[in-house]
Amino acid sequence: MRKITLLITAIFLSTSYLAAQQTAKDSVATYDKVIYKRINVVGAPAWIEKTPGSATYIGTRELQKFEYNDINRILRSVTGVNIQEEDGFGLRPNIGLRGTGVSRSAKITLMEDGILAAPAPYAAPAAYYFPSVGRMSAIEVRKGSSQIKYGPFTTGGALNLISTRIPYDLTGNAQVSAGELSTRNIHANIGNTYKNFGFLVETYQQENDGFKALDNGGNTGFDIKDFIGKFMIKTNPTADVFQKVEFKIGYYEEMSNETYLGLTESDFQENPYRRYTGSQVDLMDVDHQQYSVRHFAQFSENLDITTTLYKNDFNRNWYKLDEVDGVSIGNLLAAPQANQSAYNIVTGQVNSADDALAVKANNRSYYSQGIQSIIGSNLKVGTFENSIELGIRYHYDEMDRFQWVDGYRMEGGQMIRTSIGTPGTDSNRIESANALALYIQNKILINSKLTITPGLRYENITLKRENWGTTDPDRSTTPAVNEINLDVFVPGLGANYNLSKTVNIFGGVHKGFAPPGSGASPDTDPEKSINYELGSRFNSERIYLEVVGFFNDYSNLLGSDLAAGGGTGSTDQFNAGEVNTTGLEVSSQLMLTEVASNFQLPLSLNYTYTNAEFQNSFDSSFGPWGDIEKGDELPYLPKHQLNASLGIYFNKIEANISFSTSSKMRTIAGQGSISNNESTDAYLLTDLNLGYRINEYAKVFMDIKNLTDETYIVARRPAGLRPGLPRYVLGGIQLSF
C-alpha cells in the first residue's frame, strides 16, 4: 500500500510541475464546466447523449415543477431506481439502484457535490442522515459501467446531490409555504460573485406536526433547520494558472417524533394513520456538520487538477420503543394474538408493571473525513482524442455506538419512566474504516461516431470493530477486536456509438463491488457481481427516448442485519450467494406543442422492469429472507414501476400533474403468487402543482400530494405495517431578484 501511495504522489507532483509551465487561456465559464466534469456524475443534461451508460440529470426547473422536498417522490421519475418509503416525508429514504438492497440506501454511492455523504460510508454505510433535498439545485443519477469512478459502491450506481451554486451576479431567492399538518417551510439564499471572490448564504427549514395520530394525542411531525455558507476566491481569468478555491460549511439539526413501531394488520385496516400509545416518547435527535475546501487549478486546456478536503460530523440519538414485556416490537406486531398482554400494554389498554416498556437510546456518533484529488488531461495520440482522469482519495470514517435502555411503565395511557439506563450498557463499540481509492478512466474518441471509455478502480480498505460489550461502559478494558483487510480491483468498459445525429447506442460491462462493512465476520466476503447493460437513445428537438436493458450477475450478494430492514439491529453482515438481476428501463420526453410556442405541453413517461432471483438455496436467520430456495425473488423490489407527468404552460399559468404506480413488493423472499400478509400494496399516486407567475420576481403556487388520497402499505418493517403519505395540501410564494 505504501508503494502505491508513493507512486501516486510522484505522479501528482511530476504532473503538477509540468503543468505549471503551461498557460491558461479559457474563460471562467469554461473553468466551471471543467470543474463540473470532475466533481459531478453527469455534469449537464446536454452531456448525457455522450455518456457511455445510463444517466439522469434533474435540474432546478424540473425540481421546481412539483416543489418536492422528498427524494422518494423526485426519484420516482428516474428509471432503474428502487424505493421503499418509510415515514412519508423522505427523512430517511431507502433507495436502491437496479435491484441493489434498498435498506437505508446502504448499497449506493451517495454524494453531495461529489463528496461522500453517508455518515460512515465504508464502516457503516446505512444513511440515517440524508441531505435536505429542498435546498438542492440539481440531482444526478449514474448507472452502468460509466459510474466506475464513483466508489466504493459500484454495483447499482451513484446518486449525487448538487447544492446551490454561488451565482455569477447578485441573486436572491426566498420561498415560503404553509399548509396542512401545520406545515411551515422556508427556503432562502443570497449570493454574488465579484471580480475575484463570491459568496452564498442559504437556509432551508421545514416543520410540521405529522400525519399520524397518537392514541393519547401529541406531535408526530418534525422540525428541520439547515444552514449552508459558501465562500469562493479565484485568480483573474488571464492568470498564467487559473485557480479557484471554494469553502463550504453547513449545519443541520432535526428533531423528529418518528418511531419504528408500526401497526398490526387489523389495526391498519381500521385506521392506517394511527400510532400506538407505546410510541409517545419516541424521538430522533440529530445534528450534522459538514466542512469542505475545494481547490481547482487549470494549467492549460489540456491539464487541470481538482482537490477537495472534507469532513462530516454526525450525531444522532433515536430514542425509541424496542421491547414490551420482553417481546421485540417486531415479533409483537407480527403475532399480536400470541402476545396479547404486550399488545394491551403498547396500545395503552392496561396499566403495566415498572420497566415493562424498554425504550432504547440508539445513541451514535459518526464522522468521516478525507482528501480526494483528480487530475484531468486531454491528449491527442494519432487520430485518437483522449480525455483522461486519474483520481485518488484517502478516506477515514467511524461510527461510535454508545447506547442504553430506559424502562417505562404504562399508566392511564401515559408512559412513566421507572429506570434510567447507564450509557454504554446496551451497545458499546467503535467501528472504523481506512480506505485508499484510486481510479483511472480514459474517454477515447476514436472518430466522430465512436467513443470508448475504459476504467479501472482500486480500493484498499481496512475495516475494524472494537467491542467493549455491555459490561464495560467506561471502556477501561481491552476491547474485542475484529479487523478485515481488502484489496480489490474494479474494472469497467463503456462504449457509445452515434448511428446518426439523433440516434446512438451505448453499452458496457463492469465489476460490481460493495465492501462488507465493519460489522462483517472474517468469513464474510465483499459483494461482487459482473454487470452488463445495452441501450439506445433517440434525441430530436421535441422527442427524447432512452431504452436500456441490464443484467447484474452476483457471485455474492451481501446481507446486513439492520433493525430498519426488519432484522435484529446487530449490523452483522453475511454472504447470501448468487443472485441474477435483470431489467428494462424506458425513459421518454415529448413536447406535444412547438418548442418556441408560448403554450407548451411537455409529457414524460418512464418505466422500469426489475426481476432479481436467488440462484442457490440456503438457510438464513435474517427475517425478510428466511430459508431461501433457488428461484426465490428478493423482497422489497417491485417488478413494475411507471411514472408519467404532463405539464401545461401558458403565459403566466403553470400546471403539472404526475402519476406514479408500482406493483406490490414482497416483504419476505419467495416465489410464485405473493401472499397478502407478505407484501406491500400496489398503488397509483397523483400529485398536482399549480402556479401563477405574478411577474418576473414573484410566483404563487399550490401543491397537492396524493390528490386522490390513496391509502396504501409501503412496508412491513421495521416493525409492523406503515402507510404512505395521505393527501397533503400546501401553498406558498416564491420571490427572486
Side-chain angles (χ1 to χ4, degrees), residues 77 85 93 148 171 182 207 242 317 372 450 463 497 507 513 526 553 556 654 694 707 726:
S77 65
E85 292 185 68
I148 201 73
T171 303
S182 300
E207 182 179 3
F242 176 80
N317 186 1
Q372 59 190 36
L450 177 62
L463 301 164
Y497 184 79
F513 166 77
D553 184 5
N556 183 52
E654 302 176 10
I694 300 170
L707 179 66

Side-chain angles (χ1 to χ4, degrees), residues 48-172:
I48 290 177
E49 62 184 61
K50 298 179 181 179
T51 302
S54 181
T56 301
Y57 184 96
I58 305 174
T60 302
R61 183 176 179 183
E62 291 296 311
L63 290 175
Q64 290 178 346
K65 280 185 176 181
F66 292 95
E67 306 299 336
Y68 284 151
N69 48 27
D70 178 350
I71 188 65
N72 293 326
R73 278 182 141 76
I74 293 170
L75 293 181
R76 282 197 181 109
S77 65
V78 181
T79 58
V81 178
N82 314 122
I83 296 167
Q84 179 230 305
E85 292 185 68
E86 183 172 328
D87 57 80
F89 292 102
L91 300 184
R92 275 159 289 281
N94 301 285
I95 302 167
L97 295 171
R98 291 187 170 175
T100 62
V102 299
S103 185
R104 287 289 178 266
S105 309
K107 290 295 183 69
I108 63 174
T109 299
L110 173 63
M111 298 178 287
E112 179 177 337
D113 295 331
I115 298 171
L116 295 176
Y122 281 85
Y128 287 90
Y129 162 78
F130 200 90
S132 297
V133 178
R135 64 173 173 83
M136 298 300 162
S137 65
I139 294 174
E140 305 176 303
V141 181
R142 192 87 174 246
K143 297 165 288 184
S145 60
S146 62
Q147 51 89 28
I148 201 73
K149 63 181 275 191
Y150 311 106
F153 302 94
T154 64
T155 300
L159 173 62
N160 186 39
L161 310 178
I162 302 174
S163 65
T164 306
R165 293 172 174 139
I166 297 174
Y168 291 113
D169 301 301
L170 179 61
T171 303

Side-chain angles (χ1 to χ4, degrees), residues 555-568:
S555 57
N556 183 52
L557 181 72
L558 203 59
S560 182
D561 183 26
L562 297 176
T568 66

Side-chain angles (χ1 to χ4, degrees), residues 541-543 589-595 600-603:
E541 185 181 26
R542 294 172 56 184
I543 301 174
Q589 289 87 44
L590 172 64
M591 180 61 72
L592 298 177
T593 56
E594 293 297 328
V595 175
Q600 294 186 339
L601 291 172
L603 172 69

Side-chain angles (χ1 to χ4, degrees), residues 404-407 417 419-423 425:
W404 65 94
V405 177
D406 291 344
R417 188 161 61 176
S419 65
I420 301 175
T422 301
T425 54

Side-chain angles (χ1 to χ4, degrees), residues 557 565 574 576 578-579 612-620 622-637 665-675 677-680 716-717:
L557 181 72
F574 45 88
E578 300 176 12
V579 171
E613 296 181 358
F614 290 97
Q615 299 301 300
N616 56 306
S617 302
F618 62 95
D619 295 335
S620 169
F622 181 51
W625 288 4
D627 296 335
I628 298 298
E629 298 292 335
K630 181 179 179 180
D632 281 356
E633 297 172 344
L634 269 67
Y636 288 99
L637 184 63
M665 299 184 287
R666 296 182 183 276
T667 56
I668 298 176
Q671 51 188 294
S673 59
I674 307 176
S675 171
N677 62 356
E678 294 181 352
S679 78
T680 64
R716 294 175 180 267
R717 65 185 189 185

